[in-house]
Amino acid sequence: MDVPEILRRIERVTGRFERDAVEAAAARHEEVTPQLLSILQHTIDNAKQFAGDGNYMAHMYAMFLLSQFREPQAYPHLLRLCSLPGDLLDSLCGDFITGTLGRALASVCARNTKGIQSVIENEDADESVRGAALDGLVTLVAEGVVDRDATVQYFGQLFRTLPREPSELWNSLVAATCDLYPAELIEEIKQAYRDNLIDPFNISMSDVMDDLGRGKERVLARLARDRHHRFITDTVREFGSWYCFHRNESFVEPSIAREATSVSSPSRPASKIGRNDPCPCGSGRKFKKCCLGK
């Protein structure tokens, strides 16, 4: 399959995942990369136009493939994507923002965390995007690319400098800190709860203490096993399993990641599900990244 045919196949919603085109793109990595970068740039430049086109799909394939290719030229484009208003992002990318954006940023950043940090610190950015950027840093730690202690030190700076107002970012910051083991920042976390900055339904102080009680070695071992904090390496497996490509099938594997609009209610009480447990709705994502709070 030549490059023009690949691009034609991935441009629009067809009702099925274009596996042949994706595999051909991977085989023609060097040839197709400039075209994928152009697609991503053009989509962001014309975000309002494409947000209203429910059948446009090229940018989604592009983001997965460029992440799989670990393409650093995609990094500035993804950083620009992060600056778009939340409503546009939701229309353009749906569940990609909360479920995959952090991993995509980590996959293409080439060890340059300054851009990710700029997203986290951008008070005008969407809260979900800022949380995804925090997850990107955790992914880089999980992959052994950046130092855990330096990342925790940066999180400490955020605890001291973020506006002292309740927000989803505070929830994400505590969760990210717990993913890396919260011992060094436990007093900052306790103060954040005393100041009512954290939604205890999203993450409770008992959740924090549970992670603290597990010990550093066990918490970091859990992170090392966590597929939700890994580089994107296989577009066929990860994007191809999305529910939008399987909605007409009678059975969907539990590992399938679904669109936000298709999320069903958890089948058991949230209080009995760990934040890092698989979501009972069957998405294959962690409960904290899926139905928690819905």
Side-chain angles (χ1 to χ4, degrees):
M1 189 182 302
D2 61 15
V3 171
E5 177 63 11
I6 293 170
L7 300 180
R8 187 190 68 78
R9 295 270 295 273
I10 68 172
E11 182 179 9
R12 314 290 295 175
V13 171
T14 63
R16 63 185 179 85
F17 178 69
E18 294 293 340
R19 177 172 185 150
D20 291 346
V22 167
E23 291 177 343
R28 293 177 171 269
H29 174 180
E30 294 185 0
E31 292 177 73
V32 80
T33 291
Q35 303 299 325
L36 297 175
L37 290 168
S38 179
I39 286 170
L40 191 51
Q41 179 179 355
H42 183 64
T43 302
I44 297 167
D45 287 343
N46 300 276
K48 290 184 179 180
Q49 171 190 336
F50 288 113
D53 184 348
N55 290 318
Y56 180 68
M57 185 67 81
H59 63 303
M60 297 295 296
Y61 281 102
M63 288 190 290
F64 271 97
L65 283 166
L66 290 167
S67 297
Q68 176 181 325
F69 299 162
R70 304 283 298 279
E71 177 50 62
Q73 293 183 80
Y75 192 34
H77 295 313
L78 287 182
L79 294 177
R80 286 185 58 222
L81 180 79
C82 290
S83 69
L84 294 177
D87 57 342
L88 283 182
L89 287 170
D90 185 55
S91 296
L92 279 172
C93 305
D95 230 17
F96 180 88
I97 300 301
T98 55
T100 312
L101 176 59
R103 297 172 58 216
L105 288 167
S107 296
V108 302
C109 75
R111 297 176 178 264
N112 176 9
T113 62
K114 291 188 182 299
I116 296 176
Q117 291 175 2
S118 72
V119 173
I120 296 168
E121 297 165 20
N122 180 5
E123 296 182 15
D124 294 326
D126 182 77
E127 292 284 312
S128 296
V129 167
R130 298 172 78 184
L134 282 168
D135 266 355
L137 292 183
V138 174
T139 296
L140 289 169
V141 173
E143 288 283 1
V145 173
V146 301
D147 180 68
R148 178 260 174 198
D149 293 348
T151 304
V152 170
Q153 184 177 16
Y154 172 67
F155 286 175
Q157 295 175 18
L158 294 174
F159 273 102
R160 294 185 290 274
T161 59
L162 289 176
R164 308 295 290 185
E165 299 175 355
S167 69
E168 180 60 33
L169 184 62
W170 277 103
N171 300 332
S172 298
L173 178 57
V174 172
T177 303
C178 288
D179 284 336
L180 300 183
Y181 188 62
E184 297 97 320
L185 299 177
I186 193 64
E187 293 306 318
E188 287 85 347
I189 292 173
K190 289 179 178 178
Q191 187 59 54
Y193 277 98
R194 285 193 290 267
D195 293 343
N196 296 315
L197 302 175
I198 315 298
D199 179 358
F201 183 78
N202 186 283
I203 179 168
S204 68
M205 192 65 212
S206 63
D207 292 325
V208 176
M209 297 309 293
D210 284 347
D211 281 331
L212 188 67
R214 286 186 177 92
K216 184 176 181 179
E217 184 175 338
R218 288 179 63 193
V219 169
L220 294 181
R222 180 185 67 193
L223 179 62
R225 297 189 301 269
D226 185 2
R227 66 183 181 86
H228 301 282
H229 285 112
R230 285 290 174 271
F231 291 143
I232 295 169
T233 59
D234 187 343
T235 298
V236 170
R237 179 175 61 84
E238 299 197 42
F239 189 32
S241 66
W242 277 35
Y243 176 75
C244 60
F245 300 119
H246 300 267
R247 66 178 72 211
N248 294 322
E249 296 179 8
S250 59
F251 175 77
V252 180
E253 291 291 339
S255 63
I256 288 175
R258 300 166 307 128
E259 298 169 310
T261 55
S262 67
V263 173
S264 58
S265 299
S267 58
R268 56 191 170 117
S271 60
K272 297 182 180 180
I273 307 168
R275 299 181 71 261
N276 290 296
D277 291 341
C279 189
C281 73
S283 68
R285 296 166 62 195
K286 287 185 180 182
F287 182 50
K288 69 182 180 181
K289 288 293 180 184
C290 194
C291 289
L292 179 62
K294 294 186 179 180

